[in-house]
Amino acid sequence: FQKVKELRPDIICLAGEAHEDLPVVGAVADVVVNNNFIDRGYLMIKTAHDLGCDTFVHVSFPRHMSYETMARRVACMQEACNDFGMTFVMETAPDPTDTSAGGMDGAVAFMKEHTPQWIEKYGQNSAYFCTNDGETAPMLAALLENGGYFIEADLPSPLMGYPEALGGLDTTAEAGDFEAITAKVEKAIEAAGGAGRFGTWTVSWGYTLSSGLGEYAYALLSGNAELQNADDIAAAFKVASGKDWAGANYKTADGAKLDSVKLMYADTYVMGKGYMHVTDVE
């Protein structure tokens, strides 16, 4: 983005799910859109509490915890656990980018081995969350087999980890139809004995982010949207997904607005139980 702006400052640069600290990437991008990790840090704990969980286990590694967004979400989770009288636990898994630790294969093997141990340690009323997409499927498979809860993935989607965890569930025929995909995953979860313990968003955050930013770019170039307008971005995301989205600008601790936007499709759908919450972003 820095090079693009040096050569062509007229080119609009949109960042989706940036890992850099928001003021850093916001200095070179025209718009930065991330999932609303702040509200989700609270709402995932609330959902776990509403399902009867007494412990929330967060699984990550130092590289991810060095990101401001992920570290801030952990802080929100910890405070929410305090509010709801729950125990918050941090567990460490291998970083899949670390080839000395076996890379992704080593990380997957670690999750297969350790998730049942965590369930035995923290009990059947414990809920689990991991920050790495590749480690999600083995965690889900172990939870299906051994008990415990899963509220939603780091980047939520009915396709995030579920088809693999369910033995290679084929969703080819449902491609692009996320209501049909969710229904198929839900049926398989219920058949595996996981009803009421596994949650997701009923749309894909990754799919919607890519397609939605494309819709937003088209609206900008057509003169039908403004930069940094959260309502315009939410409208573009609705075009991409068919669902309503809530959005707002991030602010610093002293209330100053950052050149970035947070968005949330405000539901967690627990398969076999239904929607758990809907919230407005403030």
Side-chain angles (χ1 to χ4, degrees), residues 74-161:
V74 164
C76 294
M77 288 176 168
Q78 290 172 320
E79 287 300 316
C81 279
N82 289 338
D83 289 347
F84 290 109
M86 296 171 60
T87 300
F88 183 83
V89 178
M90 293 277 284
E91 291 284 358
T92 301
D95 187 336
T97 64
D98 184 359
T99 55
S100 67
M104 182 56 76
D105 289 343
V108 168
F110 178 93
M111 296 301 287
K112 288 180 178 178
E113 177 183 355
H114 284 78
T115 303
Q117 296 175 11
W118 292 330
I119 297 167
E120 183 176 355
K121 180 178 180 180
Y122 299 117
Q124 291 289 313
N125 290 330
S126 52
Y128 294 81
F129 175 85
C130 67
T131 64
N132 182 261
D133 296 344
E135 294 174 348
T136 300
M139 172 179 276
L140 287 170
L143 290 168
L144 268 172
E145 182 176 351
N146 297 278
Y149 291 73
F150 184 88
I151 308 305
E152 60 193 35
D154 181 63
L155 303 178
S157 166
L159 292 172
M160 179 57 71

Side-chain angles (χ1 to χ4, degrees), residues 228-247:
Q228 299 299 332
N229 188 309
D231 291 337
D232 289 343
I233 298 173
F237 276 45
K238 183 172 184 177
V239 173
S241 66
K243 301 289 186 179
D244 289 321
W245 293 74

Side-chain angles (χ1 to χ4, degrees), residues 116-230:
Q117 296 175 11
W118 292 330
I119 297 167
E120 183 176 355
K121 180 178 180 180
Y122 299 117
Q124 291 289 313
N125 290 330
S126 52
Y128 294 81
F129 175 85
C130 67
T131 64
N132 182 261
D133 296 344
E135 294 174 348
T136 300
M139 172 179 276
L140 287 170
L143 290 168
L144 268 172
E145 182 176 351
N146 297 278
Y149 291 73
F150 184 88
I151 308 305
E152 60 193 35
D154 181 63
L155 303 178
S157 166
L159 292 172
M160 179 57 71
Y162 280 113
E164 184 180 347
L166 292 163
L169 184 68
D170 187 2
T171 59
T172 305
E174 294 80 17
D177 184 346
F178 283 98
E179 288 189 6
I181 291 170
T182 301
K184 192 166 191 175
V185 170
E186 181 175 28
K187 184 177 179 179
I189 286 288
E190 291 177 330
R197 296 193 292 117
F198 292 86
T200 182
W201 286 4
T202 55
V203 297
S204 166
W205 168 243
Y207 175 94
T208 303
L209 179 64
S210 300
S211 183
L213 285 178
E215 294 288 351
Y216 177 57
Y218 181 77
L220 286 171
L221 297 176
S222 302
N224 296 318
E226 298 178 350
L227 284 172
Q228 299 299 332
N229 188 309

